[in-house]
Amino acid sequence: MEKRRLECPALPAGWKKEEVIRKSGLSAGKSDVYYYSPNGKKFRSKPQLARYLGNSVDLNSFDFRTGKMMPSKLQKNKQRLRNDPLNQNKSKPDLNTTLPIRQTASIFKQPVTKITNHPSNKVKSDPQRVIEQPRQLFWEKRLEGLSASDVTEQVLKPMELPKGLQGVGPRNNEETLLAAIASALHTSSAPITGQLSAAVEKNPSVWLNTFQPLCKAFLVTDEDIRKQEDKVQNVRRRLEEALMADILARDSEASQNSDIYMDSRDD
DNA sequence: TTACTCGGCAG
DNA sequence: CTGCCGAGTAA
């Protein structure tokens, strides 16, 4: 049978949808739906698609079979705790480092009300390309309750921030401050300065610069940098020592084994 | 090996 | 019933 990969209107440009009819077996006549990303990767389920797209896209109302957004699909909130014992041994740790962004700016085309032109109406034409996604105020708050864990899923103690860093915004606390700064450092290559505007303390909702973390402006001195360099050097030295010790331990273990081997040959 | 299929289970 | 994904088979 001939296969057709069709451009999918609900998905960003380049995505294709394919429906394959089963032609034999008990399930003959049923069909399977697949999607292909612009780079050609095949997707055969909604969870798989969601995993790939990360937090950047809301698929709650996306109907995989038809390929359309179905706003009627109201789903109950599945609030799952990170350390749910039922989940603990099942799923691999989530390695997705995509940060949550405003979902109303989704790259998926949501149904919209069409506004036609009118003499008294000036309709803005769409810019060729949206350069920057709008950012939600205080979006870092959504990172609350997350924590790093090691390979055994043992939760790690959060790192300590230097004294003198002060958060801004509603209900600000150490946890959000740390998340905000860490996020800023890994999402932006621009310098992280904190909120430079003093007005932000009076009214954060108005004056917040969303490209800077939720903290007051801070200053990093040469002294700070030197201290940090010392720290890194120290840690590297300890790592080197540990690796050396490990190699030596393996060596002596290996020679012991060969001793045993020699003994048994003497028998 | 990868790609394509259908079975079969969970919800 | 449908959606998801394992795993067998084909290329």
Side-chain angles (χ1 to χ4, degrees):
Chain A
M1 177 182 250
E2 175 171 73
K3 289 181 185 171
R4 298 194 303 169
R5 288 188 190 178
L6 300 170
E7 195 72 30
C8 188
L11 267 47
W15 285 78
K16 301 283 199 321
K17 174 171 176 280
E18 180 189 35
E19 182 166 8
V20 178
I21 314 290
R22 297 192 176 190
K23 42 188 170 302
S24 66
L26 301 172
S27 50
K30 304 274 181 199
S31 70
D32 294 293
V33 174
Y34 305 113
Y35 290 86
Y36 295 85
S37 68
N39 53 51
K41 184 172 162 58
K42 183 177 186 175
F43 294 86
R44 47 190 212 135
S45 71
K46 196 164 150 175
Q48 189 189 3
L49 200 54
R51 249 175 278 137
Y52 180 80
L53 296 171
N55 298 329
S56 61
V57 175
D58 182 5
L59 291 180
N60 276 332
S61 64
F62 183 73
D63 183 60
F64 192 86
R65 181 156 282 278
T66 63
K68 293 178 164 74
M69 286 298 186
M70 319 218 40
S72 53
K73 291 222 163 191
L74 222 287
Q75 220 175 261
K76 66 175 177 213
N77 221 0
K78 268 206 163 185
Q79 183 78 5
R80 180 102 293 166
L81 283 165
R82 293 278 139 181
N83 287 326
D84 182 348
L86 294 175
N87 243 348
Q88 202 133 49
N89 295 323
K90 295 291 279 183
S91 59
K92 294 173 190 165
D94 181 11
L95 299 178
N96 186 359
T97 54
T98 314
L99 292 163
I101 65 164
R102 255 189 120 184
Q103 308 253 337
T104 47
S106 167
I107 54 177
F108 280 79
K109 294 169 189 156
Q110 305 276 10
V112 292
T113 310
K114 185 177 178 181
I115 309 291
T116 52
N117 211 341
H118 186 275
S120 62
N121 252 354
K122 288 208 173 170
V123 178
K124 288 185 189 171
S125 60
D126 279 332
Q128 195 62 19
R129 219 161 73 81
V130 179
I131 304 301
E132 285 165 357
Q133 299 263 350
R135 290 199 174 209
Q136 188 173 35
L137 290 177
F138 314 125
W139 61 270
E140 291 97 331
K141 294 286 178 193
R142 263 190 272 173
L143 301 173
E144 280 177 11
L146 300 180
S147 53
S149 56
D150 65 18
V151 286
T152 67
E153 306 213 358
Q154 194 71 232
V155 173
L156 300 171
K157 187 166 69 74
M159 119 180 30
E160 271 181 42
L161 287 168
K163 300 298 166 201
L165 282 181
Q166 292 180 56
V168 296
R171 303 177 5 260
N172 81 73
N173 55 42
E174 274 281 296
E175 190 190 355
T176 306
L177 183 56
L178 177 57
I181 291 173
S183 302
L185 287 170
H186 103 254
T187 51
S188 162
S189 53
I192 303 304
T193 61
Q195 300 293 326
L196 295 174
S197 158
V200 84
E201 290 174 44
K202 296 283 183 211
N203 193 342
S205 304
V206 174
W207 295 102
L208 191 77
N209 173 357
T210 55
F211 291 99
Q212 289 294 334
L214 296 173
C215 67
K216 294 184 194 173
F218 52 83
L219 205 61
V220 179
T221 65
D222 288 346
E223 175 67 6
D224 292 328
I225 294 173
R226 207 186 51 75
K227 275 188 189 165
Q228 188 59 25
E229 284 173 349
D230 287 348
K231 250 191 204 172
V232 170
Q233 211 147 26
N234 186 36
V235 170
R236 284 190 178 155
R237 191 177 46 73
R238 281 166 51 200
L239 177 60
E240 186 184 338
E241 285 169 8
L243 288 173
M244 287 303 289
D246 185 58
I247 289 166
L248 290 176
R250 284 167 196 275
D251 276 357
S252 77
E253 192 181 322
S255 71
Q256 273 181 6
N257 285 345
S258 72
D259 288 345
I260 294 166
Y261 180 67
M262 296 299 278
D263 288 348
S264 63
R265 271 173 66 100
D266 287 341
D267 285 343

